[in-house]
Amino acid sequence: MEEIVKHINDTNASYRNTKAGNAKNTDLFLDNEHYELFKDAGEQITVRFSKENLSKAILFIASILPRKYDNSAIHKYVSYSPEFVYDQLVFLDCYFKENGLPVAHKTQEWYPRKDVQKGNGEIDHRFYFNGLLKDVEYVNSKGEHTSAKFTIRNYLAGGYSDLHIKKAEDGIFDVWVTNVQEAYFDDKEDGLEELDKTSLKDITLQQIFYGAPGTGKSHGVKAMTEGKKVIRTTFHPDSDYSTFVGAYKPTSVEVPEMTKIGTKAVPVENPDGTPRMEKKIVYEFVPQAFLKAYTGAWKNQDEPFFLIIEEINRGNCAQIFGDLFQLLDRNDETGVSCYPISPDEDIRKFLLTDKKYGFAVLTEEQKASIPEDVLSGELMILPKNFYIWATMNTSDQSLFPIDSAFKRRWDWQYMPISDAKKGWQIEANGKRYDWWQFLQKMNDKIGSTTNSEDKKLGYFFCKAKDGVVNAETFVGKVVFYVWNDVFKDFAEEAGDLFKDDDGLLSFHKFYTVGDDGKTKVREDKVERFLQNLGVEPMEEDTTSMEVSSVSSLIKVNGKDVGKYINAVPYTTIEEYVRLNNTKTAQDIIDIWEPYVKYSYRSWIVANQETYNNLSDRDKQKTHKVNCADGTCLWVNTNGWTHYPKNKDLRDTVKEFIEAVNKSGLGIQITEEII
């Protein structure tokens, strides 16, 4: 089995017939026999969409409107309009982009699920995928900046659509939609919708994202909650119940100034007869992050409400949560707290009287959707739309150990260290070094020396400016961290890392005082540190790197590339343009965009608009290619390296050559090592 075809009924479709119920899930259900294609694929598969195919699918849906649009928490009827078509096509334009450039295909990670144990202990024997959602921002027909979610379900019409999934030669599963002219229903999905109404969504209510510093935990949480209602807080050693929930605090308020006349207190008036005001210190109950999120979730039950806790293990969780700990036990089916708590009188009074965050200003419609015991402040219960997400650096896990009872209330998602493909470089002493290569070698050193994963560095451990981590940032962030926090207890084992000509390369040696009296970083010591680690410098300017200097001769379809290795990509693309003289410049860009992964730069082929936005320096590092339609494109000549005799260094030209030779594009690149 290399391909499956699934006829879509209302359960799996976002656009459904008018009699269909409300679909609460965002999963894609297949027939159990389809599982044969994916059973050996592992925990996740990579799927690939075609922009052309999805554009046709959404236009087909437009042709059969009105339909009921029913996906996740959105349930509404949609009639045909030019605005609908415009918004859907603009949405696809924004989704099918990589690094700001349009692409013809996009990939996504899906998670196959079968025989999953549900919260009540039963086994769900159905076969389905989750992980379908991707946030997309676009400007709609009204000129409004809008955020919506991409999911393949949006392009499926119940009764009309067939979903095709086929495994390609590269191991990716191509996904596309076809439509029939007359709707029919095969009854295979009867009963699925009722089962799904009680299940949780793809995202869990309480989860902690953990991993090494710099793995993008906070960035990932921010991206996943973009456009949602969010309250964010950070735990620290001084955090406690009052700073997390709320407490009485002194505040300054303006009140009428009073004076005593006889035995009565009367207000003092200004010459114009208005009361004279004065500031006084009073004590008021001030809600903090938890109460603001708690009441916000109850007031907005139709949409997710997120409480984000950064650095959760930097505070004493048992002390901070207090009796709220009991609320973290959530019903697997409904998502609400299993065990309510009775708030103290201060919190109850706040809930009843506060006109900003409390329940005092709710409409009758809002009140009707909240249980009476909650509305009266007698009980506190977390609603089903209240998400509590947190981040945790594994390198800081010893600050306040989290007990096992607390841990059990959370799902844990590990954020691995990976190459973010940003092409960042370290700049020191006139040379540049590949940031990812440094991280790999440093993390290997940390692992072999400390036998621990906790202290390793993630890709975003520090920030690069214009793709460069300068010497000052490198010493102040990286060297300081590894010297003080990683190897301070492993001085002997890590001795070769901090080796200098005159003994120990201690941290103070990375700095010197200049003639102007200012402290400066010694870039020669940064270079020595990197040499000790075994990180080789990159070529300073790939535009002048000759093929002869790396002892090889390269030909594209028999044509000599010449003496510069950065000529390999543009010669290859020129040859492809020659062989395909009916393709436009945009066609060429779409085809070659995926090859950006083999470069150190964020793009390899650009159109006129992108070229015009480049700096003068970057424009000089491009090669112009004329296309058959009279337009032009530019190939990036920067970001290419070639080390045919050194297997330890990243060789982007070699990666590019191997990918092209396997692509079936009609181009073969040969290399002769001299």
Side-chain angles (χ1 to χ4, degrees):
M1 180 187 292
E2 291 297 322
E3 179 181 351
I4 64 171
V5 181
K6 168 69 175 177
H7 184 66
I8 301 298
N9 288 337
D10 277 335
T11 300
N12 272 336
S14 286
Y15 290 91
R16 302 143 63 85
N17 69 61
T18 55
K19 297 180 181 180
N22 291 342
K24 296 290 186 182
N25 68 85
T26 52
D27 299 336
L28 179 66
F29 289 90
L30 301 184
D31 301 326
N32 277 327
E33 57 265 29
H34 293 151
Y35 184 62
E36 287 296 314
L37 181 58
F38 308 100
K39 67 178 182 180
D40 298 321
E43 290 295 318
Q44 68 180 38
I45 68 167
T46 302
V47 300
R48 179 166 45 210
F49 304 113
S50 161
K51 180 182 179 183
E52 179 182 8
N53 175 253
L54 295 187
S55 298
K56 291 178 179 178
I58 200 67
L59 291 176
F60 173 82
I61 287 173
S63 72
I64 60 171
L65 293 176
R67 300 278 287 178
K68 185 178 183 182
Y69 176 66
D70 216 346
N71 187 270
S72 188
I74 303 173
H75 312 288
K76 61 183 179 181
Y77 291 96
V78 179
S79 298
Y80 174 83
S81 68
E83 291 77 17
F84 172 83
V85 176
Y86 177 92
D87 288 348
Q88 296 298 324
L89 295 180
V90 168
F91 177 90
L92 282 174
D93 283 341
C94 293
Y95 177 67
F96 280 88
K97 281 188 177 180
E98 293 286 350
N99 300 309
L101 297 174
V103 296
H105 297 86
K106 286 275 285 189
T107 60
Q108 194 179 53
E109 303 302 322
W110 283 2
Y111 299 87
R113 294 289 180 263
K114 194 177 191 306
D115 297 333
V116 177
Q117 185 173 11
K118 297 190 290 186
N120 60 7
E122 296 178 357
I123 300 299
D124 185 348
H125 294 291
R126 296 170 298 167
F127 173 48
Y128 60 96
F129 288 107
N130 57 25
L132 309 179
L133 301 179
K134 174 69 176 178
D135 286 320
V136 179
E137 292 185 356
Y138 65 103
V139 179
N140 65 19
S141 58
K142 298 178 181 179
E144 301 167 335
H145 288 270
T146 307
S147 177
K149 291 185 182 296
F150 172 87
T151 169
I152 187 63
R153 287 169 55 113
N154 289 353
Y155 303 89
L156 304 174
Y160 289 92
S161 299
D162 290 333
L163 183 71
H164 302 251
I165 306 179
K166 182 178 182 180
K167 189 174 185 180
E169 291 183 359
D170 56 7
I172 297 177
F173 290 83
D174 285 305
V175 178
W176 71 98
V177 181
T178 59
N179 291 289
V180 296
Q181 296 302 311
E182 295 184 9
Y184 73 92
F185 298 88
D186 55 17
D187 299 326
K188 283 190 176 182
E189 295 172 9
D190 284 354
L192 282 184
E193 184 176 344
E194 286 70 26
L195 288 170
D196 294 331
K197 284 182 179 180
T198 59
S199 65
L200 293 176
K201 297 180 182 179
D202 293 337
I203 52 178
T204 53
L205 289 167
Q206 289 157 196
Q207 62 180 323
I208 294 176
F209 299 84
Y210 70 102
T215 49
K217 298 178 290 296
S218 296
H219 177 78
V221 170
K222 182 179 179 182
M224 286 185 282
T225 57
E226 194 73 33
K228 308 292 191 303
K229 293 185 181 298
V230 174
I231 298 290
R232 179 174 274 101
T233 188
T234 301
F235 282 3
H236 53 82
D238 288 333
S239 297
D240 58 17
Y241 187 86
S242 64
T243 58
F244 180 53
V245 180
Y248 273 92
K249 292 185 177 181
T251 58
S252 175
V253 297
E254 279 196 341
V255 297
E257 183 180 341
M258 305 297 290
T259 187
K260 186 176 181 181
I261 300 179
T263 59
K264 294 183 178 180
V266 295
V268 178
E269 295 184 348
N270 292 313
D272 61 358
T274 59
R276 183 189 300 174
M277 307 299 289
E278 63 177 347
K279 288 187 176 181
K280 283 191 174 183
I281 301 298
V282 299
Y283 281 84
E284 290 184 337
F285 187 89
V286 180
Q288 300 299 320
F290 177 83
L291 272 182
K292 292 177 182 179
Y294 172 78
T295 56
W298 275 117
K299 294 175 186 177
N300 301 273
Q301 295 179 59
D302 291 335
E303 55 185 313
F305 205 109
F306 291 85
L307 172 61
I308 309 299
I309 304 171
E310 301 281 4
E311 310 285 356
I312 190 170
N313 59 316
R314 293 185 63 82
N316 186 335
C317 291
Q319 173 185 333
I320 296 170
F321 274 83
D323 58 350
L324 301 180
F325 172 83
Q326 189 165 310
L327 299 179
L328 299 181
D329 260 326
R330 313 282 281 269
N331 185 290
D332 291 326
E333 300 297 322
T334 64
V336 302
S337 297
C338 295
Y339 308 108
I341 65 171
S342 297
D344 62 34
E345 192 59 33
D346 293 337
I347 293 178
R348 183 173 182 271
K349 182 179 178 181
F350 157 78
L351 293 172
L352 293 175
T353 62
D354 189 87
K355 295 183 179 180
K356 183 175 182 181
Y357 295 107
F359 297 144
V361 292
L362 293 179
T363 65
E364 292 303 317
E365 183 178 356
Q366 287 175 312
K367 290 179 180 179
S369 65
I370 301 176
E372 182 60 35
D373 288 343
V374 173
L375 191 62
S376 66
E378 294 294 332
L379 297 178
M380 291 184 72
I381 302 172
L382 301 187
K384 63 183 179 181
N385 64 318
F386 189 12
Y387 293 81
I388 309 177
W389 287 6
T391 64
M392 186 180 91
N393 273 339
T394 52
S395 63
D396 294 333
Q397 64 181 339
S398 61
L399 288 175
F400 285 96
I402 299 177
D403 62 68
S404 59
F406 189 82
K407 287 180 179 178
R408 287 200 307 272
R409 269 74 179 171
W410 303 78
D411 288 308
W412 293 72
Q413 181 168 328
Y414 178 64
M415 305 291 284
I417 297 171
S418 61
D419 183 2
K421 303 292 186 182
K422 298 290 186 181
W424 286 3
Q425 299 171 13
I426 304 164
E427 188 174 60
N429 212 27
K431 299 177 182 178
R432 290 201 175 189
Y433 302 82
D434 179 47
W435 172 250
W436 176 238
Q437 185 195 83
F438 159 73
L439 289 177
Q440 288 177 302
K441 289 185 176 294
M442 175 55 71
N443 288 333
D444 287 344
K445 181 68 175 178
I446 293 172
S448 62
T449 303
T450 67
N451 294 317
S452 172
E453 298 288 314
D454 295 346
K455 298 293 185 180
K456 291 184 177 181
L457 287 71
Y459 197 93
F460 300 100
F461 183 85
C462 63
K463 293 183 179 180
K465 184 177 182 181
D466 297 327
V468 175
V469 179
N470 61 32
E472 289 78 9
T473 299
F474 185 80
V475 173
K477 296 281 189 179
V478 178
V479 177
F480 181 79
Y481 171 72
V482 298
W483 175 266
N484 284 280
D485 295 339
V486 180
F487 294 114
K488 64 180 179 180
D489 296 325
F490 300 91
E492 184 176 343
E493 295 87 340
D496 57 339
L497 179 60
F498 293 97
K499 181 174 59 179
D500 203 3
D501 295 331
D502 57 353
L504 182 65
L505 183 59
S506 53
F507 185 71
H508 76 272
K509 287 187 177 181
F510 286 90
Y511 291 94
T512 186
V513 178
D515 296 336
D516 57 0
K518 295 182 179 179
T519 301
K520 299 179 180 179
V521 167
R522 289 192 59 179
E523 298 194 17
D524 61 317
K525 296 302 181 184
V526 176
E527 182 181 12
R528 179 57 186 268
F529 178 81
L530 293 169
Q531 288 175 348
N532 290 345
L533 192 59
V535 184
E536 297 289 338
M538 299 170 59
E539 294 292 332
E540 294 182 44
D541 188 356
T542 59
T543 60
S544 62
M545 187 187 295
E546 299 184 7
V547 171
S548 58
S549 68
V550 293
S551 304
S552 64
L553 295 174
I554 302 177
K555 295 183 179 182
V556 176
N557 281 359
K559 178 182 178 182
D560 287 337
V561 167
K563 63 181 181 178
Y564 299 111
I565 66 157
N566 63 349
V568 175
Y570 70 70
T571 304
T572 302
I573 294 172
E574 281 182 326
E575 175 67 5
Y576 183 80
V577 170
R578 185 187 69 80
L579 295 173
N580 298 271
N581 56 19
T582 61
K583 293 188 180 296
T584 66
Q586 190 57 54
D587 292 335
I588 305 300
I589 290 172
D590 292 343
I591 289 166
W592 289 94
E593 189 278 335
Y595 291 80
V596 71
K597 70 179 72 171
Y598 307 115
S599 168
Y600 278 111
R601 294 295 179 258
S602 60
W603 65 277
I604 60 170
V605 188
N607 58 17
Q608 180 75 56
E609 181 181 0
T610 301
Y611 175 80
N612 291 340
N613 291 328
L614 295 176
S615 66
D616 291 339
R617 181 175 181 272
D618 287 339
K619 285 179 179 178
Q620 294 173 4
K621 296 184 179 181
T622 62
H623 181 87
K624 185 177 180 180
V625 177
N626 295 315
C627 297
D629 62 353
T631 58
C632 303
L633 54 81
W634 284 262
V635 181
N636 199 340
T637 61
N638 204 7
W640 303 100
T641 56
H642 195 39
Y643 307 101
K645 294 183 178 181
N646 192 332
K647 296 181 180 180
D648 294 329
L649 298 176
R650 186 184 177 195
D651 192 327
T652 59
V653 168
K654 181 181 178 182
E655 294 173 11
F656 180 82
I657 291 173
E658 291 177 348
V660 171
N661 286 343
K662 295 177 181 178
S663 66
L665 293 174
I667 297 175
Q668 286 296 306
I669 307 174
T670 60
E671 180 175 14
E672 179 184 350
I673 307 298
I674 300 173

